[in-house]
């Protein structure tokens, strides 16, 4: 098989091949999960498969290249003013599906819709520092800021902020056929392709992990993507040859959000007891996965906080000490004749998630707490697994994703520090408030960190453009 190159630009993948494509000019990709829908991101969240399709058919102002760096997309160039309060983009010559020209006003209208009061776009809470998106003369659009923010371009590269008109984008691909769980994409004809030379066609097969792995093993797919810890045992049993299984390097959240309103979960003392009882170091062994980083902090690194990630007060204790303290806390709660409820833990489907839940449930039984697993969409769940990749290198996403507004257990102090961080007039003040918000969230213990999210792919050696990078794209 001749050497080829595949670049995944943003987790919503924009697929591009190098100059020596396979003879038929087609790249076959197996995507683990159900067939995507052309979901409006301003009205409902995108599933990973939805995001992949959205990013392939509706590019944003900018994109992320294989190294996770900002690259031109719909915008061919941009300038940032010295005070950081304005970014002015020049839109390349592009057309809508009906043949009309894309203008700065079109782009501004699409972005303003994403941040409108009635928008449910998941990126909207991260754009509170934006004052307005303004369409200027011809092919120019300005993003005017209330206060400077260094990670704006990373957000503008997300598939949720792809530029759309009447639900349709400008490419780089268009859907040419949908048959069952298979979607065929063809490149949009245009001058001056800003990304790379595109393949003649990309075929996305959306299927269960076992089928996707079998397709790859039978050499009927060049890439299998979308793998998580849920299906890790399946690919682990397939015994792939070295170098085929590749892991994304992105950071994010993998842990249990406490959403239940029971009396038992209403105090941070009990919530901390649940967290400290978990033997996180046993999780990689349980799944037989080497190199998985477990964690007991919300933030994976300092990022743009003024301090290192806040560790819980029990972090320095041994597992035996933690379990003894947790057992005592649960016993104290029982002392009034109360019985802890059976906790309902919402988990995704898949053998990997069943193993993780079994490990955690066993740890909780040691301290006198019982738990049962329920489907992820169960509205009555007391705890719900979050498995998400961060869209940019900023603590704001983590804190927003775990805020009171997201439905987690909260208290009177709530999100005060987070609100102050969003409105901070300087980056220094913002960093200080982020550190305070991190400390508040850790003390509140409304989220139980377990580790970093895991994303795996099966990559044909001929796809030489597949790269690990800090954003997991």
């Amino acid at each position: 098989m001749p050497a080829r190159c595949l670049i995944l630009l943003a987790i919503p993948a924009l697929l591009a091949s190098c100059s020596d494509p396979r003879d038929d000019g087609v790249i076959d990709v197996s995507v683990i999960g159900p067939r995507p829908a052309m979901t409006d991101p301003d009205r409902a969240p995108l599933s990973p498969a939805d995001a992949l399709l959205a990013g392939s058919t509706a590019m944003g102002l900018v994109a992320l290249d294989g190294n996770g760096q900002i690259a031109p997309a719909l915008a061919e160039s941009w300038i940032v003013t010295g005070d950081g309060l304005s970014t002015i983009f020049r839109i390349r010559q592009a057309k809508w599906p009906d043949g009309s020209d894309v203008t700065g006003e079109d782009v501004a209208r699409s972005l303003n819709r994403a941040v409108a009061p009635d928008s449910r776009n998941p990126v909207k809470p991260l754009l509170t520092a934006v004052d307005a998106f303004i369409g200027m003369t011809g092919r120019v659009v300005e993003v005017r800021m209330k206060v400077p923010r260094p990670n704006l371009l990373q957000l503008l590269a997300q598939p949720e902020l792809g530029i759309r008109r009447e639900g349709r984008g400008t490419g780089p691909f268009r859907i040419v056929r949908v048959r069952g769980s298979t979607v065929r994409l063809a490149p949009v004809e245009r001058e001056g392709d800003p990304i790379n030379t595109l393949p003649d066609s990309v075929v996305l097969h959306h299927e269960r992990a076992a089928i996707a792995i079998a397709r790859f093993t039978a050499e009927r797919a060049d890439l299998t993507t979308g793998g998580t810890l849920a299906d890790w045992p399946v690919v682990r049993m397939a015994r792939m040859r070295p170098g085929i299984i590749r892991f994304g390097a992105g950071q994010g959240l993998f842990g249990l959000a406490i959403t239940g309103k029971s009396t038992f979960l209403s105090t941070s003392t009990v919530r901390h007891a649940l967290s400290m009882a978990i033997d996180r170091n046993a999780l990689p062994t349980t799944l037989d996965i080497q190199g998985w980083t477990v964690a007991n902090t919300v933030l994976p690194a300092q990022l743009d906080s003024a301090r290192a990630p806040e560790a819980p007060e029990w972090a320095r204790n041994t597992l035996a000490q933690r379990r003894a303290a947790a057992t005592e806390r649960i016993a104290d709660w029982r002392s009034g004749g109360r019985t802890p409820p059976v906790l309902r833990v919402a988990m995704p489907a898949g053998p990997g998630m069943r193993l993780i839940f079994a490990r955690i449930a066993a740890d909780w039984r040691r301290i006198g707490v019982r738990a049962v697993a329920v489907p992820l969409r169960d509205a009555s769940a007391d705890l719900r697994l979050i498995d998400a990749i961060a869209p940019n290198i900023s603590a704001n996403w983590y804190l927003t994703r775990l805020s009171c507004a997201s439905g987690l257990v909260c208290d009177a102090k709530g999100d005060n520090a987070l609100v102050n961080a969003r409105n901070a007039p300087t980056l220094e003040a913002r960093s200080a408030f982020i550190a305070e918000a991190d400390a508040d969230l850790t003390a509140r213990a409304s989220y139980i960190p377990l580790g970093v999210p895991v994303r795996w792919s099966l990559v044909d050696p001929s796809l030489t453009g597949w790269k690990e990078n800090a954003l997991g794209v």
Side-chain angles (χ1 to χ4, degrees):
M1 181 181 293
R4 285 169 292 138
C5 172
L6 182 102
I7 300 173
L8 300 182
L9 295 180
I11 284 180
L14 303 180
L15 301 171
S17 69
C18 287
S19 58
D20 188 16
R22 187 171 54 185
D23 292 343
D24 61 4
V26 177
I27 292 180
D28 284 280
V29 181
S30 285
V31 183
I32 296 174
R35 193 185 81 191
M38 291 299 290
T39 304
D40 182 351
D42 300 332
R43 296 292 172 260
L46 301 179
S47 71
D50 294 344
L52 187 150
L53 189 60
S56 299
T57 57
M59 72 176 74
L61 282 170
V62 293
L64 295 167
D65 65 17
N67 294 313
Q69 301 300 310
I70 298 299
L74 195 56
E76 61 184 8
S77 63
W78 57 90
I79 58 172
V80 182
T81 58
D83 59 8
L85 295 178
S86 177
T87 304
I88 300 172
F89 296 87
R90 180 170 179 80
I91 310 303
R92 66 179 179 81
Q93 291 185 340
K95 294 185 180 297
W96 293 108
D98 64 5
S100 60
D101 292 333
V102 177
T103 67
E105 288 82 359
D106 293 332
V107 173
R109 190 177 301 112
S110 178
L111 292 171
N112 280 318
R113 183 172 183 264
V115 297
D118 63 344
S119 172
R120 298 177 60 192
N121 195 304
V123 182
K124 174 184 172 181
L126 306 179
L127 294 172
T128 55
V130 173
D131 187 32
F133 297 100
I134 302 171
M136 303 174 75
T137 302
R139 296 184 286 115
V140 178
V141 64
E142 178 187 9
V143 182
R144 192 169 296 169
M145 308 293 291
K146 302 172 187 174
V147 289
R149 289 294 179 261
N151 297 302
L152 173 66
L153 293 181
Q154 291 177 345
L155 293 176
L156 292 177
Q158 299 307 307
E160 289 85 355
L161 296 182
I163 305 305
R164 298 171 177 82
R165 188 177 73 173
E166 297 178 355
R168 303 182 71 184
T170 62
F173 291 92
R174 59 186 175 88
I175 298 173
V176 295
R177 189 178 69 195
V178 177
R179 179 177 295 172
S181 61
T182 299
V183 179
R184 180 177 288 271
L185 305 174
V188 174
E189 294 183 6
R190 61 181 186 269
E191 298 179 1
D193 181 355
I195 297 175
N196 211 321
T197 301
L198 298 176
D200 294 339
S201 182
V202 175
V203 180
L204 305 177
H205 307 274
H206 297 86
E207 48 208 0
R208 292 184 294 110
I211 297 175
I213 294 167
R215 184 188 298 278
F216 185 92
T217 303
E219 299 185 353
R220 294 171 53 203
D222 306 297
L223 170 73
T224 294
T225 190
T228 69
L229 286 176
D231 297 304
W232 172 250
V234 182
V235 74
R236 182 73 180 83
M237 292 298 293
R239 300 187 182 280
M240 296 288 173
R241 66 183 186 274
I244 295 297
I245 301 176
R246 307 283 291 273
F247 291 93
Q251 299 287 351
L253 292 170
F254 185 85
L256 297 170
I258 300 180
T259 57
K261 308 302 181 185
S262 67
T263 303
F264 180 66
L265 295 173
S266 64
T267 65
S268 61
T269 300
V270 168
R271 299 194 295 268
H272 274 294
L274 295 175
S275 186
M276 69 173 71
I278 297 173
D279 183 1
R280 290 166 176 80
N281 291 330
L283 293 175
T285 303
T286 299
L287 288 175
D288 191 17
I289 180 171
Q290 297 180 353
W292 179 29
T293 302
V294 296
N296 57 22
T297 61
V298 172
L299 301 181
Q302 183 167 337
L303 304 177
D304 46 359
S305 173
R307 298 194 297 268
E310 186 78 13
E313 44 89 15
W314 45 262
R316 294 181 179 272
N317 297 340
T318 66
L319 178 61
Q321 290 171 331
R322 299 200 319 258
R323 282 180 170 166
T327 301
E328 183 177 344
R329 293 186 185 195
I330 300 304
D332 286 345
W333 193 89
R334 288 175 175 270
S335 63
R338 299 173 294 185
T339 301
V342 177
L343 298 179
R344 298 170 60 83
V345 183
M347 303 284 290
M353 294 302 175
R354 290 195 293 271
L355 288 171
I356 290 173
F357 171 77
R359 175 74 262 174
I360 293 172
D363 290 341
W364 285 346
R365 282 197 299 272
R366 290 172 176 265
I367 65 171
V369 176
R370 294 177 55 215
V372 296
V374 298
L376 190 60
R377 295 182 179 276
D378 191 323
S380 66
D382 299 297
L383 298 96
R384 191 177 311 278
L385 187 87
I386 296 178
D387 183 6
I389 298 291
N392 64 355
I393 306 174
S394 173
N396 185 34
W397 176 81
Y398 295 83
L399 301 174
T400 298
R401 187 68 177 79
L402 302 176
S403 65
C404 302
S406 296
L408 276 68
V409 168
C410 205
D411 56 28
K413 193 172 183 180
D415 294 336
N416 290 346
L418 178 58
V419 172
N420 290 336
R422 290 173 177 169
N423 297 326
T426 67
L427 295 179
E428 290 77 11
R430 178 174 180 267
S431 294
F433 282 124
I434 283 175
E436 182 181 338
D438 179 30
D440 289 347
L441 182 57
T442 300
R444 191 162 70 222
S446 56
Y447 171 72
I448 299 177
L450 297 176
V452 301
V454 171
R455 296 294 183 268
W456 58 265
S457 299
L458 305 179
V459 184
D460 189 291
S462 63
L463 299 182
T464 57
W466 199 98
K467 301 177 181 180
E468 295 89 352
N469 57 73
L471 291 177
V473 301

